[in-house]
Amino acid sequence: MARGTPSLEDRPTSKKVGALRALLPFVLPYRGQVLIALLALALTSAISLVLPLAVRRVVDNFDDGAGLLNEYFGAALAIVALLAVGTAARYFFVTRLGERVVADIRKAVFARVVTLSPAFFERVMTGEILSRITTDTTLIQSVIGSSLSIALRNMLILAGGLAMLALTSVKLMALVLLIVPSILVPIIVLGRRLRRLSRANQDRIAASSGAASETLLAAQTVQAYTHEARSIEQFDAATEQSFDVALTRIKTRALMTAIVIFLIFAGVIGVLWMGARDVRTGAMTAGQLVQFVIYAILVATSSGALSEIWGELQRAAGATERLGELLAAEDNLTDPANPVLLPRPVQGRIVLEGVSFHYPTRPDTSALEGISLTIHPGETVALVGPSGAGKTTVIQLVQRFWDPATGRVTLDGIDLRDMRRDDFRQAMALVPQDPVIFAASAADNIRLGRPDATDADVQAAARAAHADAFIQALPMGYATPLGERGVMLSGGQRQRIAIARAILRDAPVLLLDEATSALDAESEALVQAAVAQLSEDRTTIVIAHRLATVKKADRIVVLEHGRIVAEGTHDALVAEGGLYARLARMQFTDNALPLVDEDAEPPSGLAAN
């Protein structure tokens, strides 16, 4: 996360319903629908307030003749029909608005999160983000598509009902007003506790989702180490914690509902008792008492509904704020306001000038320290060294997934920080050590390198990467879905898909992060030939795992503890001795084998980063 930006784990706990104002930017584009829904809502509320007047007319004029009575009942039926139409219109437009707004929020959150730099994902679990996009948006949909309109309707009925109560009987209305404060007190006091519990409950759900996502994505590893029982136990514990918090919230809300309902109806009974006495003394008519009773019931039910909805609004407010945190998450990497465009054609000259870097989660450990390196256009440079030497970090800095703490990284003489990331990254192709395969077809996975590529282009790239044969053998050939994370493929096949993707991209800068580490000897020989052809006339940075790759590089840079300790050709470095010669010698089963013999069998691999 950017400096000064709280992570999702550190977010504050006090939440207010006013946080729902953050939804306004998503609602305003549909102001027409909102207006129609509000008109329908006002109409239904007004009709609900008119019905008691009709009932009073019927009761007080019951003996005035059948004709007048029929007119009253006919008018009541028309009012009910209008109420039905208005309610249906309100439901349609409000529910449609809720679904539309939530869809827009989900798209906005995903669009924001997917562009954030790796620093963000070092602090926030992917499962938690998915929980925000699903669970929290569902709460918001419920509020916009139902609760909010119901709350507004009940507020109108409450206000109108109180006014009509006053018009019916000021004396009884005064008694009702004495009841209101006793109802508001538990709503306010217990409502605050509900806010805290609702937020804690949603945080527990997010933590549970994060744990489940992490375990399921590594299901084979979990099963291989017979860790299923422990994983189930951990997920059960997280789920039970969520349930315990939810149960406390439910008990609190049930207590609040019981108190509020009792106070409301106890007050109504008391008011009715006083009204019945007034009817007996002739201070009011039976129709007025019936009218007052109906208005009192409307006011009571509206108050009870508002107490219920208040809890929903509080939960939605917490959800809105958490989604707002994702939307407002500041990235420690930003594109300049006035970016410099990378000149085309791209030459591919990469320079690291005095670069030092620390990962945010390991501020006391230097990943790179004072690195200065120039890679010339068309040159193939191999990075070797023990694990943790900083090889992968160099590639990540070249792609600007991180910014150096000191120094700068340039492409064709332009600081990466002066360009848009999507501009200069188009000039790069990456084959990572652990290639990502999506749950799409083989063709679509390769087409990630160039989305507008034709089927012929895709197949040509696959042939160049020696992936065509095994793809053709799949049940549906290039149209075969490869499963989540490429579960249908072997490690070597996944890497050849990634290499085909890079070949299709046809970028002037090629980044190979141990691209052949999972290949067998035969596949490696084939892919090495493809990589050698692909590297021609391109600036290539290779994190070396196989000695065959190292020996073919124009220059080898040896890294140790984040520093460059040697560089040169294979033969020169072997002759020089030191770290590189020691690493190279370790790849031979017989240390007496000549290290510079070009006819020697390629060894099994260098230490990887």
Side-chain angles (χ1 to χ4, degrees), residues 345-361:
V346 177
Q347 301 301 311
R349 178 184 175 87
I350 299 172
V351 180
L352 285 75
E353 301 176 3
V355 169
S356 296
F357 176 73
H358 301 72
Y359 284 100
T361 54

Side-chain angles (χ1 to χ4, degrees), residues 238-258:
T239 303
E240 285 301 318
Q241 288 176 346
S242 174
F243 173 77
D244 291 340
V245 175
L247 187 60
T248 304
R249 175 181 59 80
I250 292 169
K251 289 178 180 177
T252 303
R253 187 167 177 178
L255 176 62
M256 183 179 74
T257 301

Side-chain angles (χ1 to χ4, degrees), residues 136-174:
D136 285 358
T137 53
T138 299
L139 283 173
I140 293 172
Q141 190 278 331
S142 175
V143 166
I144 297 177
S146 175
S147 301
L148 199 56
S149 69
I150 294 174
L152 290 173
R153 180 175 179 273
N154 281 288
M155 288 172 65
L156 290 175
I157 291 176
L158 178 62
L162 290 172
M164 295 306 294
L165 285 176
L167 290 174
T168 306
S169 173
V170 176
K171 173 186 173 182
L172 297 181
M173 173 61 186

Side-chain angles (χ1 to χ4, degrees), residues 300-608:
T301 53
S302 296
S303 301
L306 286 173
S307 69
E308 288 280 333
I309 293 168
W310 184 251
E312 294 294 331
L313 294 179
Q314 289 170 329
R315 295 184 69 196
T320 300
E321 191 161 73
R322 280 188 300 277
L323 288 168
E325 288 172 357
L326 288 178
L327 288 171
E330 295 182 9
D331 202 346
N332 57 349
L333 295 182
T334 57
D335 291 333
N338 298 303
V340 177
L341 292 178
L342 181 63
R344 262 65 175 184
V346 177
Q347 301 301 311
R349 178 184 175 87
I350 299 172
V351 180
L352 285 75
E353 301 176 3
V355 169
S356 296
F357 176 73
H358 301 72
Y359 284 100
T361 54
R362 291 164 283 168
D364 298 329
T365 303
S366 294
L368 294 176
E369 190 68 39
I371 291 287
S372 291
L373 176 65
T374 298
I375 302 173
H376 302 288
E379 184 181 20
T380 296
V381 172
L383 305 179
V384 302
S387 178
K391 304 184 296 295
T392 298
T393 303
V394 171
I395 282 185
Q396 291 185 336
L397 289 175
V398 168
Q399 296 172 93
R400 204 190 167 208
F401 287 132
W402 308 92
D403 278 339
T406 60
R408 66 177 192 152
V409 181
T410 67
L411 176 60
D412 287 355
I414 306 173
D415 193 321
L416 297 184
R417 289 170 290 198
D418 294 333
M419 296 183 284
R420 284 202 334 267
R421 284 167 288 175
D422 62 343
D423 180 29
F424 68 77
R425 285 177 185 169
Q426 289 177 358
M428 299 178 181
L430 170 69
V431 181
Q433 179 180 5
D434 184 17
V436 175
I437 304 298
F438 296 94
S441 68
D444 287 341
N445 267 283
I446 296 174
R447 195 174 274 114
L448 184 70
R450 181 155 53 89
D452 60 349
T454 65
D455 290 343
D457 292 336
V458 170
Q459 293 177 20
R463 284 193 295 271
H466 301 279
D468 179 70
F470 76 78
I471 293 176
Q472 294 283 12
L474 294 173
M476 299 168 59
Y478 281 84
T480 305
L482 300 182
E484 186 178 24
R485 297 170 64 89
V487 68
M488 290 183 61
L489 305 178
S490 68
Q493 289 173 335
R494 286 196 295 269
Q495 282 194 317
R496 275 182 277 173
I497 291 285
I499 291 171
R501 188 184 290 165
I503 292 172
L504 185 64
R505 191 163 181 84
D506 193 25
V509 176
L510 179 62
L511 306 173
L512 303 173
D513 188 351
E514 302 190 85
T516 61
S517 61
L519 301 180
D520 55 56
E522 182 180 359
S523 296
E524 180 189 1
L526 296 172
V527 171
Q528 285 290 2
V531 168
Q533 182 177 357
L534 177 62
S535 301
E536 290 181 3
D537 301 322
R538 286 181 173 83
T539 302
T540 305
I541 301 178
V542 182
I543 291 182
H545 185 73
R546 306 283 191 179
L547 187 57
T549 305
V550 173
K551 293 168 70 174
K552 293 177 181 178
D554 298 318
R555 187 158 42 111
I556 299 168
V557 176
V558 185
L559 294 169
E560 186 176 22
H561 302 307
R563 298 177 181 272
I564 296 176
V565 296
E567 59 179 298
T569 64
H570 169 77
D571 293 344
L573 289 172
V574 169
E576 181 182 311
L579 176 61
Y580 178 80
R582 187 167 67 254
L583 290 174
R585 187 175 296 109
M586 289 171 61
Q587 294 190 40
F588 290 85
T589 55
D590 182 357
N591 288 345
L593 287 174
L595 295 177
V596 296
D597 183 2
E598 293 293 333
D599 297 325
E601 181 182 354
S604 60
L606 269 176

